[in-house]
Amino acid sequence: MSDLIAAVATAPGAGGVGILRLSGPGAARTAAQVFRPAGKISLMEAPDRKLLYGSILDKEGRVIDTGLAFVSRGPHSYTGEDTAEIQGHGSPMVLSLALEALFAHGARQALAGEFTKRAFLNGKLDLTQAEAVIDLIHAETPAAARQAAGRLEGTLSRTIAAIYDGLVDLSAHFHAVLDYPDEDIDPFREETIRTALDEALVGTDALLATYDRGRQLTTGVPTAILGRPNVGKSSLLNALVGYDRAIVTQIPGTTRDTIEAKASVGGVLLNLTDTAGLRETGDEAERLGVARSRAAAQEARLVLLVLDGGAALTPEDREAIALAKEAPACICIVNKSDLDQVLDLEALGRDFPNLCLVSAKNQSGLETLGPMVARLFPTGDGGEGEALLTNARQMEAVQRAGENLRRAREGLELGVPPDLLLSDVENALEALGEVTGTTVREDITSRIFQRFCVGK
Ligand code: GDP
């Protein structure tokens, strides 16, 4: 298999600009077969990152577009290898012909994430930064984008490195004492070890405490839309996502299964589940839907309780209210504000301090929802500067590091032998190394890069 990889880096479909990327040995030579500069300098001789204007050629050497190209030689490139980029118009036909031409001249199709994987293997990025690349590409809120940009720049790497370095010092000290007992090395000072372990534990605990917020930024807050049939749950979901995701009908029980959609509300990403209306039913399919809606409400971190402001509360409404009260966070949405209102808002307000009056059908009043969601789920400063754990892989590794440190800490108090303490410290180091990728297993890295799109 050729080591020179190529791919279209821009999204599929027609657009203003389309970019082809190459990385690996001979990147400039192959790119030069497909790009003919208008000026005298060829791509092979061009200085790094100097844009040349010229023609893009198909594999027979016929002109198919005009555009720009540059080379960026390793190690000062994204992947750390020799790379080249050709930028043409965003025409799927042109891009596919040009890519075919690159293949004819020795490149092969890049796999998903292969450019970033090479950057990782060549030490240009650590694993948290590589994950930040994919999070940045998929960011659905401004805060998520800022947070990923911060991680790409190294916020999480630096926080992990600080804990890691402290433990390396400690481990080195253990080794010195254990391996060279005859040398004149400072004997173990319990207090020093205690302090070092405590500092590391403070660090891992603080990181673990960020996980909920980090996950919230990248995957969204699990949110259930709850209410009896026909109060307007599907209409609300459609209004929030901005398109008709759910069917809206006048027949109660239309949403039999749960429908899921993402929406950014108040700058917070919500993972909305439109549940089947809560009511007892003889219909088997609907009964399953009702059971699922109860489960969704119980798993949710936010419940959007929907009531029909134009109708008196029914036993089913009361059941929904009872379920909503148990949720970790709830916003009561009194819908159909365009109709004559019969509900006692004051009484409802006592149960639900977060109460808003909307008309999902007319899309009015929904603007009050954003600030409530933002208050309930603050994204922090969205923080470029703040290190957050954003996925289960990172969280699990930091948790394992913490467990080993805690064991070492307890062992110290119980007077266990230093070599056992050392083994706990080394396990903690290995777990922390997994977060940044210094000690991570190949199968895990492969899984991470498979999540990327081709061309990144
Ligand atoms: P669901 O069963 O709770 O999902 O309710 P739907 O969203 O399917 O809506 C049930 C009915 O209520 C439909 O006929 C909607 O057009 C209507 N509806 C929804 N929102 C409003 C609203 O704000 N005002 C009025 N007047 N009708 C609404």
Side-chain angles (χ1 to χ4, degrees):
M1 209 153 58
S2 167
D3 242 329
L4 176 63
I5 53 171
V8 176
T10 35
V17 176
I19 297 177
L20 294 145
R21 277 183 139 180
L22 286 147
S23 180
R29 196 178 338 112
T30 296
Q33 306 288 324
V34 180
F35 183 83
R36 191 168 60 216
K40 290 202 189 74
I41 312 174
S42 80
L43 264 183
M44 302 275 289
E45 307 150 348
D48 275 355
R49 290 172 293 283
K50 179 174 171 57
L51 276 177
L52 304 184
Y53 172 74
S55 307
I56 300 172
L57 314 174
D58 70 7
K59 63 174 188 258
E60 271 86 34
R62 293 172 299 204
V63 174
I64 46 169
D65 197 1
T66 53
L68 301 169
F70 70 90
V71 291
S72 185
R73 297 171 183 84
H76 303 295
S77 67
Y78 180 72
T79 58
E81 305 174 324
D82 286 354
T83 57
E85 252 184 56
I86 301 174
Q87 311 180 355
H89 293 100
S91 147
M93 179 47 70
V94 166
L95 292 170
S96 124
L97 288 171
L99 187 62
E100 216 176 274
L102 292 174
F103 294 161
H105 293 289
R108 69 159 170 88
Q109 174 65 54
L111 305 173
E114 203 171 3
F115 289 93
T116 309
K117 185 173 184 179
R118 288 183 176 199
F120 166 67
L121 294 175
N122 290 325
K124 304 294 289 185
L125 295 170
D126 73 14
L127 220 42
T128 70
Q129 291 170 311
E131 284 174 327
V133 172
I134 191 168
D135 288 345
L136 191 57
I137 291 172
H138 294 289
E140 294 184 74
T141 59
R146 285 198 301 272
Q147 164 55 219
R151 248 178 313 130
L152 183 55
E153 191 271 315
T155 46
L156 184 54
S157 322
R158 283 193 293 274
T159 308
I160 296 280
I163 307 172
Y164 193 92
D165 290 348
L167 290 176
V168 168
D169 284 348
L170 184 60
S171 160
H173 188 64
F174 269 116
H175 272 295
V177 176
L178 287 169
D179 300 345
Y180 305 98
D182 302 330
E183 297 289 322
D184 190 17
I185 298 170
D186 259 2
F188 280 115
R189 267 196 278 126
E190 231 181 81
E191 197 45 42
T192 319
I193 301 170
R194 186 176 291 119
T195 309
L197 287 174
D198 282 347
E199 273 174 13
L201 260 173
V202 167
T204 53
D205 284 350
L207 267 180
L208 281 174
T210 67
Y211 179 53
D212 268 359
R213 222 150 31 88
R215 200 179 38 164
Q216 179 185 306
L217 271 177
T218 46
T219 59
V221 178
T223 305
I225 306 181
L226 197 69
R228 74 164 157 78
N230 240 21
V231 289
K233 297 181 298 298
S234 305
S235 307
L236 177 73
L237 178 115
N238 290 339
L240 291 178
V241 299
Y243 62 92
D244 287 350
R245 174 69 181 81
I247 310 162
V248 175
T249 67
Q250 289 175 318
I251 309 155
T254 318
T255 312
R256 293 182 160 195
D257 212 334
T258 50
I259 290 176
E260 291 178 10
K262 285 187 174 180
S264 168
V265 181
V268 180
L269 183 66
L270 300 183
N271 263 333
L272 297 165
T273 305
D274 178 11
T275 63
L278 278 173
R279 63 168 192 167
E280 296 312 321
T281 169
D283 181 318
E284 181 65 17
E286 205 182 318
R287 202 159 46 221
L288 288 176
V290 169
R292 224 168 289 173
S293 76
R294 280 214 176 88
Q298 277 154 2
E299 282 162 20
R301 298 205 34 224
L302 171 66
V303 162
L304 301 179
L305 168 69
V306 186
L307 300 171
D308 178 346
L313 291 180
T314 69
E316 291 153 345
D317 283 321
R318 292 186 201 288
E319 196 183 333
I321 289 173
L323 256 181
K325 276 193 198 165
E326 289 168 21
C330 177
I331 297 176
C332 176
I333 298 171
V334 178
N335 188 31
K336 309 198 184 182
S337 62
D338 51 301
L339 303 179
D340 288 342
Q341 298 296 292
V342 302
L343 290 187
D344 179 354
L345 294 186
E346 231 179 272
L348 275 173
R350 278 193 290 278
D351 276 340
F352 300 104
N354 289 304
L355 181 85
C356 62
L357 207 59
V358 310
S359 168
K361 195 160 115 178
N362 300 343
Q363 309 222 352
S364 64
L366 290 165
E367 64 286 353
T368 53
L369 206 53
M372 284 184 196
V373 174
R375 227 178 10 253
L376 287 168
F377 297 92
T379 48
D381 63 339
E384 304 91 87
E386 195 185 0
L388 302 184
L389 298 179
T390 50
N391 64 42
R393 184 194 76 81
Q394 298 166 353
M395 186 277 288
E396 191 278 327
V398 174
Q399 199 168 39
R400 199 150 22 88
E403 281 160 13
N404 279 290
L405 291 172
R406 210 154 260 129
R407 196 168 25 243
R409 186 68 181 75
E410 283 160 14
L412 185 68
E413 298 309 316
L414 295 172
V416 307
D419 53 336
L420 287 184
L421 295 184
L422 174 61
S423 128
D424 288 335
V425 170
E426 290 193 329
N427 286 339
L429 274 170
E430 185 168 327
L432 288 174
E434 281 178 29
V435 182
T436 46
T438 34
T439 56
V440 80
R441 298 201 326 255
E442 163 62 21
D443 54 339
I444 296 178
T445 42
S446 294
R447 208 170 325 142
I448 291 168
F449 290 105
Q450 275 160 16
R451 288 169 53 221
F452 279 67
C453 32
V454 171
K456 190 64 230 179

